[in-house]
Amino acid sequence: MKKWRRRLFKTFIFGAVAVLLLLVTGLIYQQVSTRQDQKTFIPPGKLYSIHGDNMHLYTGGQGDATVVLASGWGTADPYVDYYPLYEKLAPYTKFAVYDRFGYGYSDMTDKKRDVDTVADELHELLEISGQKPPYVLVGHSLGSLETLRFAQKYPDEVQGIVMLDGGSPEYYANDTDDIASVIGGFMNQFRIKTGLFRLTLQSNAVVEASNANRNGLTFVPDELKKIDTTALLLNYGNANTVDELREMTANAKVVVDNKKPFPFPLTILTADYFGASEPIWDKTQAEFTSWSKQSKQITIKDTEHYIHQYHPDLVANEILELVKK
C-alpha cells in the first residue's frame, strides 16, 4: 500500500511539473512571438494622437467627399479587410479607413468603449488628420452603432450612410447573447496567453476556415492575407474589443434614445447568407429604413456577413451613388 501511494504521489508530481513546464513554455512562446510580430507589423497609414493614445488612419483616392469606413467587431485589420472596396472607390472618391483602439495598428486605450467616446474619437481623428466633410459613412456589422452616433452628433458633416450588413440599433438593443463572457472568459484568454491560439493559426486549414465567411479573402493579395493573420494574432480578444461587446446593448440604447430620422440618404445592404439568413435579422434590416427620410434596403445575393469581400463592385456602386448626390 505504501509503495502504491509513493508511486501515485510521484506520478502526480511528475504530471504537475510537466503541465507547469508546458504552461511556462507556452507563455514564453506567446511573448517572444508577439514581440517578433510587432516588429513586422508596420502601419500603412499614419498614426495620430487622440486623447493621449495613437489611432491609425489609412487614406487615399481623390474627390470632394470622403468615404469613412468603419469596420465590424473583431475585424483585426480594417486596412486589409476593406482592401477590395477602397480599391474600387479610389479612382472616384477619397476614402479613410480608421482603426478603433484595439484594432489594426491603433494603440490600446484605458477609456471605456461607450458609443459617445468612440464617435468623438473618430471625429477628432478626422479633424486632426486634415480630412474634410462632407462624409459618406460606411458601417459594417457592429460598426453601425458608432456610424449612426457620429451622424447624430455631427449631422452637418454627413452626406449619407451605407450599412454593410450592419445591425440596427433596435436589433443590438435586444440582443441577449453574452459573447463578451466567451471572448473575455478564462478559457479563451488562457488559450491566447499560453500560445494555443497562435499554434492553431500555424495551420493553413485553420486560417482558411477562419476566413470562410470573408470569401476566403479572394480579392485580397497574398501579402495582405499574411498581414491579416498577424493582426489577428496581435489583436484577438484584447480588452478593448471585449469591452465593445460588453457595451453593445447600452450603446445601442443610446443611439435608439436619440433617434430622429436623418435628412440625408441611408442605404441598407443586407447579406442573404446564401439563403440561410435568420427571420429576426431580416425583419430588423427591413425596419432599419425608418432611420432616414431617404432610405432603401437591398439584399445582396450570394454573400455572407462580409458583403464587401464577395461583391465589392456592387457595394462600391451604392456608395458612389451617395457620393455623387
Side-chain angles (χ1 to χ4, degrees), residues 46-315:
K46 294 183 180 180
L47 298 173
Y48 299 90
S49 179
I50 306 297
H51 304 163
D53 297 302
N54 287 324
M55 279 187 78
H56 177 254
L57 186 71
Y58 179 76
T59 61
Q62 56 187 352
D64 296 324
T66 300
V67 177
V68 180
L69 300 163
S71 64
W73 181 86
T75 300
D77 196 332
Y79 157 72
V80 175
D81 180 65
Y82 271 127
Y83 173 87
L85 183 55
Y86 62 68
E87 282 291 290
K88 301 293 183 184
L89 296 172
Y92 309 103
T93 185
K94 290 187 292 186
F95 68 84
V97 183
Y98 71 98
D99 299 341
R100 297 188 295 277
F101 286 120
Y103 286 80
Y105 308 86
S106 291
D107 289 344
M108 292 283 293
T109 181
D110 57 2
K111 294 177 178 63
K112 190 177 176 183
R113 298 293 80 202
D114 63 278
V115 72
D116 279 310
T117 296
V118 175
D120 288 342
E121 288 167 350
L122 171 57
H123 188 256
E124 185 172 339
L125 175 66
L126 293 174
E127 280 194 332
I128 287 179
S129 64
Q131 310 309 307
K132 304 292 182 186
Y135 301 123
V136 172
L137 306 177
V138 178
H140 174 236
S141 193
L142 189 57
S144 63
L145 295 182
E146 68 211 59
T147 298
L148 292 172
R149 190 63 183 135
F150 183 101
Q152 288 175 332
K153 301 186 79 168
Y154 310 103
D156 293 340
E157 299 182 13
V158 180
Q159 183 165 313
I161 299 175
V162 178
M163 291 296 174
L164 307 182
D165 215 39
S168 71
E170 291 87 351
Y171 176 85
Y172 289 129
N174 293 292
D175 191 343
T176 56
D177 291 338
D178 189 11
I179 305 175
S181 293
V182 177
I183 303 298
F186 173 78
M187 289 306 297
N188 195 49
Q189 292 299 313
F190 177 85
R191 195 165 63 105
I192 295 168
K193 297 292 192 299
T194 58
L196 291 174
F197 177 69
R198 179 177 290 275
L199 276 175
T200 61
L201 286 183
Q202 303 309 306
S203 165
N204 290 331
V206 171
V207 173
E208 289 173 6
S210 71
N211 291 333
N213 72 336
R214 289 194 286 168
N215 195 24
L217 298 179
T218 299
F219 299 112
V220 174
D222 288 343
E223 61 270 22
L224 293 191
K225 290 179 184 178
K226 293 177 182 177
I227 291 173
D228 188 75
T229 301
T230 300
L232 183 61
L233 288 168
L234 291 173
N235 294 325
Y236 175 66
N238 68 43
N240 287 165
T241 61
V242 171
D243 196 36
E244 278 187 3
L245 290 176
R246 291 199 181 103
E247 295 294 320
M248 181 180 69
T249 301
N251 286 343
K253 289 178 179 177
V254 168
V255 179
V256 170
D257 288 345
N258 288 276
K259 182 176 182 178
K260 182 180 179 181
F262 296 122
F264 40 77
L266 169 64
T267 298
I268 311 295
L269 301 182
T270 305
D272 77 332
Y273 291 86
F274 291 95
S277 59
E278 298 177 354
I280 294 177
W281 181 260
D282 289 342
K283 181 176 182 292
T284 55
Q285 285 287 289
E287 294 170 347
F288 205 166
T289 55
S290 66
W291 280 79
S292 172
K293 297 175 182 178
Q294 306 175 58
S295 61
K296 65 177 180 179
Q297 189 244 340
I298 304 170
T299 298
I300 308 297
K301 300 293 184 181
D302 302 321
T303 55
E304 280 281 355
H305 187 45
Y306 286 76
I307 297 175
H308 50 287
Q309 289 287 352
Y310 287 85
H311 298 293
D313 283 330
L314 295 178
V315 175

Side-chain angles (χ1 to χ4, degrees), residues 27-63:
L27 288 168
I28 294 173
Y29 165 66
Q30 172 65 14
Q31 291 173 4
V32 171
S33 298
T34 296
R35 283 196 292 268
Q36 291 175 339
D37 285 341
Q38 288 170 337
K39 291 177 182 178
T40 63
F41 197 58
I42 302 169
K46 294 183 180 180
L47 298 173
Y48 299 90
S49 179
I50 306 297
H51 304 163
D53 297 302
N54 287 324
M55 279 187 78
H56 177 254
L57 186 71
Y58 179 76
T59 61
Q62 56 187 352

